[in-house]
Amino acid sequence: MKKIFFSLFFIFPLIGLAQTESDIRKHYTYINKQIIESIEQGFEGPLYNNHWVTNKNNRSWPAVGIYTETTDFWYDDPPDHLPASERNPKNVLLKINISRKSSHLITNEEYLYKDGKLVFFYSHEGEEGNEWETRIYFNNKGVAFKSSVKANGKELTTKDFLTEEYKDFKPNAANTMAAAKKLQDLFVKSM
C-alpha cells in the first residue's frame, strides 16, 4: 500500500503539468483574441508586434520569381513589467505568424508558445488548387504528442504516408521544433 501511495504522490504532480490538446486550444483561442484586440486597438492593445517583411516591393526573387514573406512576432513585454536583468525574453513570445508567397505556392504558418516553449504548430499550404494542412501538438517537454495532416480535405493516415504520393507530407516534429527555436532566437536577438 505504501508503494502505491508513494507512486501516486509523484505521478499526480506530473499529470498536473501535462499539456493537453484542450489546454493548447484554449491558449490558442486566448492569444488569437489578444492579437485581434491589439490590431483593432493599436498601441492600447494587450500585445506588442514586430512585423518583418521580406521583399516588400515584390521584385523578382533570384531562382524563384514571385516571392514575399511577412513574419509577425506577437509578444507581451511591457517595459515596466520586469527589470531587464530578471526577465527571459524567450518567455514573452506568444505566437509567430508567417505568410509566404513563392511563385504559385502560398504558405501560412503559426507557431504558438507558452512559457517560452513551443506548444502548437499549424501550416496551411496551397498550390494550383491543392491544399495541405498540418497540425502538431507538443507537451511541456517539447515532445509531439499529436499530429494531423490533411491533403485536399482528406485526413491522412500512417498508411498514407508510406505511399509515394504522400510520403513527403509526414510531419517532422524535430524539424518543426528546430525551426521554432531558430525563429525564437531571431526574435530574442531583435529585442
Side-chain angles (χ1 to χ4, degrees):
M1 181 70 172
K2 286 183 180 180
K3 288 182 183 179
I4 293 172
F5 178 73
F6 187 70
S7 297
L8 291 175
F9 180 74
F10 285 103
I11 291 173
F12 280 124
L14 293 175
I15 291 171
L17 293 175
Q19 189 86 350
T20 67
E21 183 179 347
S22 177
D23 293 337
I24 293 170
R25 286 179 187 266
K26 287 177 190 172
H27 182 61
Y28 182 84
T29 301
Y30 176 70
I31 297 303
N32 283 342
K33 182 179 174 236
Q34 286 192 313
I35 289 171
I36 290 168
E37 288 175 16
S38 297
I39 291 169
E40 290 173 351
Q41 297 173 10
F43 71 91
E44 294 287 333
L47 300 179
Y48 295 87
N49 173 239
N50 290 354
H51 182 80
W52 296 357
V53 177
T54 302
N55 200 18
K56 181 178 178 181
N57 295 322
N58 292 320
R59 298 283 310 245
S60 182
W61 199 260
V64 179
I66 298 170
Y67 181 81
T68 187
E69 180 176 294
T70 303
T71 305
D72 284 297
F73 295 90
W74 292 98
Y75 61 101
D76 180 13
D77 189 24
D80 61 341
H81 188 321
L82 285 174
S85 61
E86 295 178 25
R87 73 175 181 238
N88 181 350
K90 288 183 178 182
N91 290 348
V92 300
L93 181 61
L94 298 170
K95 189 173 181 190
I96 300 172
N97 292 342
I98 301 173
S99 298
R100 187 178 302 118
K101 183 173 184 181
S102 176
S103 293
H104 297 303
L105 178 65
I106 297 173
T107 305
N108 293 303
E109 296 176 346
E110 299 178 10
Y111 297 83
L112 182 69
Y113 298 83
K114 187 172 185 181
D115 300 323
K117 296 177 183 169
L118 180 69
V119 294
F120 179 68
F121 168 77
Y122 172 76
S123 174
H124 179 270
E125 295 180 290
E127 181 179 38
E128 298 177 357
N130 294 308
E131 290 187 83
W132 306 275
E133 285 186 338
T134 303
R135 290 175 173 81
I136 306 175
Y137 297 85
F138 295 89
N139 66 16
N140 292 340
K141 305 284 187 199
V143 177
F145 67 87
K146 181 180 179 182
S147 65
S148 72
V149 177
K150 287 184 181 178
N152 294 320
K154 175 190 173 196
E155 183 83 28
L156 300 182
T157 65
T158 306
K159 188 177 177 182
D160 290 325
F161 295 129
L162 298 174
T163 67
E164 193 65 31
E165 182 180 5
Y166 295 121
K167 71 179 185 178
D168 293 335
F169 295 99
K170 184 176 182 181
N172 188 325
N175 285 350
T176 301
M177 185 61 74
K181 287 184 181 202
K182 181 180 175 185
L183 288 164
Q184 189 178 43
D185 289 343
L186 283 172
F187 167 75
V188 170
K189 289 175 184 176
S190 75
M191 297 300 283

